[in-house]
Amino acid sequence: SAVEDGVRYDVTLGKQKTGHFCDNRENRSRFRRLASAQVKPRVLDLFAFSGGFGLSAAIGAPESQVVAVESNRRALHFLRQNVALNCVSHRFQVRSDDVFCLMGNDFVNSFDLVSCDPPRFRSRIGKHIGMMQHTSAVAIALRAVKSGGTVFANSVLGMSSRRRFVDDVVIVAAESVGKKVQSITFAPDQVDHPCCPDYPASRVVLTAWIQVH
């Protein structure tokens, strides 16, 4: 296993896919700090994969309650192993669900902190459909967060323009679920995923921290 910021992960070395993405290391650390600053926060980790964001919150805030949603069978294997490794099963719920099928009051205005880190959506029709899927994912995250809460939204759309991400993804998503965005802060390029200043298209990842009114 490997340890990052006090969180243990089961990783498979010697292969391209280890089960852990290092390029969100700094974002997970910030997510943990946000959780630890709250009293008994409820945390939602969408597209959880190996559970990095949910586990960071669980370890950082010992009285937190975490729900992690993932549909991929391989990812669920990593996720459940990591939950067991960190001994947080009693307050960490793993849901084997399609994020886009989450319905009911349990996922409306219910969480203080939400992570939305979807995979790259690929479509034979084109990038426009991928952007629509990503916007829907952000909308689900915004619908789930309480007033005054925070959504971490990670985008691998290959969209280099932050303004376009705000206008075409965040604002559209917020309006679709009747939420008002108070502020949006973009994270700097991650140490483990740098971009070239002379080549904006190298910024394939955009990370936004969205404060909801």
Side-chain angles (χ1 to χ4, degrees), residues 64-204:
S64 60
Q65 294 290 329
V66 181
V67 178
V69 183
E70 179 56 62
S71 60
N72 182 276
R73 291 176 63 183
R74 178 173 175 268
L76 283 165
H77 170 74
F78 284 124
L79 175 56
R80 291 187 172 113
Q81 282 192 318
N82 290 337
V83 171
L85 270 176
N86 290 278
C87 303
V88 292
S89 301
H90 59 292
R91 53 189 179 86
F92 197 112
Q93 180 187 0
V94 175
R95 291 192 53 150
S96 175
D97 278 319
D98 183 343
V99 168
F100 294 106
C101 294
L102 294 179
M103 303 294 288
N105 293 332
D106 288 347
F107 293 94
V108 179
N109 301 323
S110 300
F111 297 90
D112 303 287
L113 193 56
V114 179
S115 166
C116 181
D117 185 18
R120 183 190 294 270
F121 295 116
R122 293 180 172 87
S123 172
R124 294 179 180 178
I125 300 175
K127 290 184 178 180
H128 178 67
I129 300 300
M131 184 181 294
M132 289 176 60
Q133 290 177 304
H134 195 93
T135 303
S136 296
V138 174
I140 291 168
L142 289 170
R143 183 181 64 190
V145 75
K146 298 177 182 177
S147 176
T150 301
V151 171
F152 163 81
N154 207 38
S155 164
V156 288
L157 289 170
M159 185 187 296
S160 58
S161 168
R162 291 177 174 179
R163 171 50 57 188
R164 187 182 173 201
F165 180 72
V166 170
D167 292 343
D168 296 350
V169 176
V170 178
I171 299 303
V172 172
E175 290 178 348
S176 72
V177 293
K179 288 292 181 74
K180 291 184 178 181
V181 173
Q182 180 173 318
S183 65
I184 302 173
T185 304
F186 283 93
D189 297 321
Q190 302 294 288
V191 172
D192 296 307
H193 202 306
C195 75
C196 177
D198 297 328
Y199 185 51
S202 65
R203 181 179 284 120
V204 296

